[in-house]
Amino acid sequence: MKLTRSLLIANGWADDARLEQTLVRGAELISSKGISDRKYLLKLLRREFPELHASLTLRDTPAPLSEAIDVVLPEEVKNLEKVRRQMDVVLRSPVAVSGSLMPDACPAGSELGSMPVGSVVVAENAIIPAAHSADICCSMFATFYRSELSLSDELDRLEASTRFGPGPRHDEVPHAVTDEGVWENPFLRGLQSKARAHIADQGDGNHFAYLGEMVVSNALVSRLRELGNPELADSIAGAVGETLRVLVTHHGSRSLGSALYARGLDAAVKATRNHARNIPPNLAWLYADTQEGIDYWDALQYVARWTRANHEAIHERFLERVGIDAVASMGNEHNFVWKRGRQFLHGKGATQAWRDDAGNSLWGLIPLNMAEPILLVAGGDREEFNSFAPHGAGRNYSRHGLMKRYKNELGELNRHSISSAIERETASIDVRWFLGDVDLTECPGAYKSADKVIEQIKSYGLAEVVAKIMPRGCIMAGRAPLQKEKPLSPKQVRQIQHRKERRKTRQRDWMEEYDEI
């Protein structure tokens, strides 16, 4: 047998100057003892060089971070401080090359190594599952069409075309994407039922279906051609002088993606233990050129196709109910990982904004909030920001933080103030809440100023805003009506407390390890 550098690296040795002595000793063992069993040889080397095996650790200093964000308000300053602390940990990963913050950056998660929303991390030959998060391939899709129906009629038909809320659909919508021959991939095995159960299904939280309008002009068509989007230019050229209706949907890959994420993270944690010590689970990675890395990458590509098909299914069902054909359509991901050479670009709430191999700009849709335009943008390809743009406006307040603003000194919600805020913030559009109850935390007041985000996109050159899709109506998930819950038993209370204490202990242990760096 022959011992190679790649074999050692794949089995936990760091790719550094010390690797040579391990190679030399391995060759000696092969020649002197006639060893032909690979596992036995690696076992002997681990025993002789324990300090060299699994020797990667968190960096002493983080990889470079670029910031395309300006803050003014106290809550923005506070959020940016938290985001920087989170990225300081993320960029200490031994596979991290660089990172960037977008104008919509805001904190997310409390575990060590959590990646904030509106951020990018670039890794060398490695996929970090937690860096794209459980909402794999959260994305946008738009269909441009002509219609003379009233807004109310269109919203009725849109509401019948999609579904929000937890759990699977009870009425499955057939689609060819669920019958692709991918289910022997170890990361997808057994998940076909989840893929079938969520077609035409959008989920919860900030996912939405938005109806808007876009004015088509000769200048718009010309600019589309200049920036390398002849398909869209040709499709809408016949509508110059018209105002097209636009359906835009925003959602991810539902339980199919979350199940893939759980499997990917578990595999990454186990694989990382072979290469490194004291790496927080959120920073665990799969080397992309290992079989596990290849399988995970292939599974990610399938989930991207599934999510695109899910968008298309909703749009097709809507168009059938309206009785019209599409003029044009387009879409993009903003919660995903992309490959460029040996580098893997992880965007957690970031829109790809580089140029393709032909030099044409990539195109994206950037929503701001339900009462503001959705931006049609061409990527600016700013390398210092890893060639990304924001994915939205970003939150100024977490869900919990926003609700605290509407509580009195006794901790009781001020229902009148909440109602007034909702009415004021949504007065310009027709908003529907699919599950029944209004969700204040998804109203415009939770988000950053749309105008400021647009200004920062322009000032940092992240993208060119080519058109704006003006808001008319929106369907959000909302909240299901509250049901009276059964009181917890003493045993359940103890179990919850024990889990909470274990989480705190793990977090403290990681923080102590981090503070020692």
Side-chain angles (χ1 to χ4, degrees), residues 148-165:
E148 295 183 0
L149 289 178
S150 69
L151 175 61
S152 179
D153 281 345
E154 287 196 5
L155 284 170
D156 288 342
R157 299 177 197 208
L158 177 56
E159 200 164 1
S161 304
T162 187
R163 174 189 172 273
F164 291 88

Side-chain angles (χ1 to χ4, degrees), residues 73 109 145 190 193 260 327 348 357 439 459 469 512:
L73 301 176
Y145 61 97
S193 61
L260 171 60
V327 173
K348 185 178 178 183
D357 293 339
D439 183 356
S459 65
I469 301 169
E512 288 174 355

Side-chain angles (χ1 to χ4, degrees), residues 223-490:
R223 194 61 183 141
L224 288 170
R225 295 193 195 284
E226 290 167 3
L227 294 170
N229 196 340
E231 296 84 3
L232 184 56
D234 291 343
S235 296
I236 67 172
V240 169
E242 299 180 47
T243 298
L244 291 177
R245 301 275 180 90
V246 191
L247 166 61
V248 184
T249 48
H250 170 225
H251 63 73
S253 49
R254 305 294 283 117
S255 69
L256 170 66
S258 63
L260 171 60
Y261 166 75
R263 293 177 179 186
L265 182 63
D266 182 63
V269 168
K270 292 175 181 176
T272 300
R273 288 179 187 148
N274 290 328
H275 306 282
R277 300 190 302 271
N278 302 320
I279 301 294
N282 280 330
L283 299 184
W285 69 88
L286 291 169
Y287 279 120
D289 55 4
T290 63
Q291 189 58 53
E292 272 193 315
I294 293 168
D295 289 340
Y296 189 62
W297 176 255
D298 288 344
L300 288 171
Q301 305 318 299
Y302 172 73
V303 167
R305 295 194 299 275
W306 182 92
T307 309
R308 177 75 170 228
N310 196 24
H311 281 291
E312 291 173 346
I314 294 168
H315 289 235
E316 288 168 4
R317 285 159 61 86
F318 171 72
L319 293 175
E320 287 173 3
R321 285 173 168 82
V322 177
I324 54 173
D325 295 323
V327 173
S329 62
M330 63 167 293
N332 65 279
E333 301 89 2
H334 56 222
N335 235 51
F336 203 53
V337 54
W338 298 267
K339 181 181 179 182
R340 301 186 75 186
R342 279 178 51 84
Q343 293 188 342
F344 288 78
L345 287 68
H346 304 74
K348 185 178 178 183
T351 301
Q352 67 222 74
W354 51 88
R355 291 189 176 91
D356 63 20
D357 293 339
N360 298 319
S361 296
L362 296 188
W363 291 79
L365 297 159
I366 301 178
L368 299 167
N369 65 60
M370 65 173 70
E372 294 286 347
I374 291 177
L375 311 178
L376 172 59
V377 303
D381 200 19
R382 293 295 299 273
E383 291 186 10
E384 60 267 51
F385 303 117
N386 287 303
S387 298
F388 277 85
H391 85 306
R395 286 184 171 273
N396 264 342
Y397 304 99
S398 67
R399 298 178 193 279
H400 178 69
L402 181 68
M403 297 309 293
K404 281 177 63 176
R405 294 169 59 85
Y406 291 90
K407 291 182 178 180
N408 60 25
E409 61 274 11
L410 299 177
E412 300 167 333
L413 286 172
N414 187 324
R415 303 289 179 182
H416 176 71
S417 295
I418 290 174
S419 296
S420 297
I422 293 168
E423 184 176 351
R424 180 178 64 254
E425 293 172 13
T426 63
S428 62
I429 56 171
D430 186 341
V431 182
R432 297 188 183 183
W433 305 90
F434 193 92
L435 298 177
D437 285 355
V438 176
D439 183 356
L440 176 66
T441 66
E442 286 303 334
C443 288
Y447 290 87
K448 297 183 180 184
S449 162
D451 289 339
K452 289 182 180 179
V453 172
I454 294 172
E455 287 175 8
Q456 291 171 68
I457 291 172
K458 181 178 180 180
S459 65
Y460 287 103
L462 305 178
E464 178 181 333
V465 179
V466 179
K468 293 181 179 180
I469 301 169
M470 305 306 292
R472 298 182 71 241
C474 187
I475 301 175
M476 300 290 296
R479 297 181 182 276
L482 294 176
Q483 298 179 351
K484 188 174 181 181
E485 298 180 355
K486 295 180 180 179
L488 296 175
S489 68

Side-chain angles (χ1 to χ4, degrees), residues 176-220:
V177 74
T178 64
D179 295 322
E180 287 191 26
V182 300
W183 304 109
E184 289 306 309
N185 182 307
F187 287 101
L188 294 173
R189 194 172 292 134
L191 299 183
Q192 189 174 18
S193 61
K194 292 183 181 293
R196 288 173 172 164
H198 288 295
I199 292 291
D201 193 16
Q202 293 198 239
D204 296 315
N206 65 350
H207 297 155
F208 60 74
Y210 171 109
L211 290 177
E213 294 179 337
M214 185 184 76
V215 175
V216 181
S217 65
N218 282 317
L220 171 59

